[in-house]
């Protein structure tokens, strides 16, 4: 069984009087444990595809299955359960909450889970150690570099032990060396825990680290 299965998916946005076709019949099957990249020019539909897989948006047509569950017709409560139980998210702009400490940011996704406070702390400590930031747990995001902030975001994505992590251009706001370090960290987590990673990127050098590359162009699969 595929951990992610997308068939003939399209997504249209109504923008005033015009319809924007962000995805036009995309198929994608991902196996558990894959470390795969989605590439393509700006506007080609990468974020839209990740948001559909991440149960953040619903397709206009087509099938989206996450870990065997058809998510297209689920209620927003049911989708929230899937997001909290199976998915982790990493964004280009890190999306940390500035008023919270590093540890509080990482703990945040556990609010939705029936996890006791002792176990919460153990999980937060463990994932912060995984990303090499255990000494920074009491700091605020503003006190960290871009690379460190993205490591916090990776720890936050990991804390719920998701089977899939979706990363939308996770290195776009980082210099090349820092970005490569972030990809190496993600790769290490993929190997150690078997977590499936689907990331979008513009960075050709980073693409070479992926098991597989899927190209989007103008809302369609290209080049394979
Ligand atoms: N919420 C939205 N409303 C209207 N148009 C959107 C929205 N989100 C994305 N689009 C459009 O859909 C297309 C694909 O966007 P996106 O998935 O963000 O591409 P990428 O991530 O590859 O840059 C673009 O034309 C974009 O302008
Ligand atoms: Mg995008």
């Amino acid at each position: 069984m595929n951990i992610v299965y997308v068939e003939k998916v399209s997504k249209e946005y109504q923008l005033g009087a015009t319809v924007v076709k962000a995805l036009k019949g995309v198929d994608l099957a991902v196996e558990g444990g894959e470390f795969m990249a989605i590439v393509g020019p700006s506007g080609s539909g990468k974020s839209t595809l990740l948001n559909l897989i991440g149960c953040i948006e619903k397709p206009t047509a087509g099938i989206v299955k996450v870990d065997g569950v058809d998510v297209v017709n689920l209620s927003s409560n049911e989708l929230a359960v899937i997001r909290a139980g199976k998915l982790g998210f990493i964004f280009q702009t890190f999306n940390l909450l500035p008023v919270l400490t590093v540890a509080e940011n990482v703990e945040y996704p556990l609010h939705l889970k029936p996890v006791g406070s002792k176990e919460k702390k153990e999980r937060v400590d463990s994932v912060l150690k995984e990303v090499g930031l255990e000494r920074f747990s009491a700091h605020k995001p503003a006190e960290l570099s871009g690379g460190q902030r993205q490591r916090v975001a990776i720890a936050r994505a990991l804390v719920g032990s998701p089977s899939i992590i979706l990363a939308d251009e996770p290195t776009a706001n980082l210099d090349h060396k820092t970005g490569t370090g972030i990809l190496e960290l993600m790769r290490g987590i993929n190997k150690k825990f078997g977590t499936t990673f689907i990331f979008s990127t513009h960075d050709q050098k980073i693409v070479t680290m992926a098991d597989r590359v899927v190209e989007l162009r103008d809302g369609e699969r290209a080049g394979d």
Side-chain angles (χ1 to χ4, degrees):
M1 189 187 71
N2 293 298
I3 191 129
V4 171
Y5 181 80
V6 169
E7 187 183 318
K8 293 194 182 68
V9 153
S10 59
K11 178 69 179 176
E12 297 177 357
Y13 294 105
Q14 190 77 38
L15 209 61
T18 53
V19 174
V20 180
K21 295 186 174 180
L23 292 175
K24 306 170 189 168
V26 170
D27 297 330
L28 177 68
V30 182
E31 283 179 31
E34 271 199 79
F35 190 74
M36 66 159 299
I38 300 172
V39 302
S42 182
S44 59
K46 303 182 296 297
S47 296
T48 303
L49 182 54
L50 288 172
N51 290 343
L52 293 176
I53 296 168
C55 304
I56 292 170
E57 294 189 69
K58 289 192 177 194
T60 307
I63 298 169
V64 180
K65 288 186 184 177
V66 176
D67 207 5
V69 178
D70 185 339
V71 297
V72 173
N73 295 311
L74 296 186
S75 69
S76 54
N77 281 346
E78 290 167 324
L79 291 175
V81 170
I82 302 255
R83 280 197 301 272
K86 296 185 189 298
L87 297 162
F89 298 90
I90 300 169
F91 302 95
Q92 174 176 345
T93 49
F94 322 133
N95 292 15
L96 302 177
L97 291 165
V99 297
L100 300 184
T101 65
V102 164
E104 288 163 347
N105 268 284
V106 171
E107 190 186 310
Y108 196 79
L110 296 181
H111 286 216
L112 294 165
K113 295 199 164 199
V115 179
S117 56
K118 182 160 173 280
E119 191 191 335
K120 275 185 189 164
K121 188 179 181 314
E122 282 167 5
R123 285 217 209 172
V124 169
D125 289 349
S126 151
V127 291
L128 279 176
K129 203 166 172 201
E130 202 61 54
V131 302
L133 286 180
E134 63 270 40
R135 288 184 298 116
F136 293 84
S137 62
H139 286 247
K140 295 279 173 64
E143 297 159 14
L144 306 181
S145 69
Q148 288 172 325
R149 288 181 209 184
Q150 198 58 305
R151 283 172 190 269
V152 175
I154 291 171
R156 179 182 58 186
L158 264 184
V159 78
S161 307
S163 38
I164 307 160
I165 291 183
L166 303 167
D168 195 359
E169 304 208 32
T171 63
N173 283 4
L174 304 173
D175 64 74
H176 182 69
K177 185 160 167 279
T178 307
T180 304
I182 289 295
L183 255 286
E184 282 168 355
L185 176 63
M186 285 169 33
R187 181 51 140 175
I189 290 164
N190 161 258
K191 291 259 193 262
K192 184 169 172 183
F193 301 110
T195 316
T196 307
F197 275 81
I198 308 176
F199 58 95
S200 69
T201 185
H202 268 119
D203 189 334
Q204 269 308 321
K205 292 208 182 87
I206 275 172
V207 164
T208 61
M209 291 173 67
D211 292 330
R212 182 159 69 109
V213 178
V214 162
E215 190 179 350
L216 288 181
R217 210 175 296 152
D218 202 15
E220 294 179 284
R221 287 280 295 268
D224 57 7

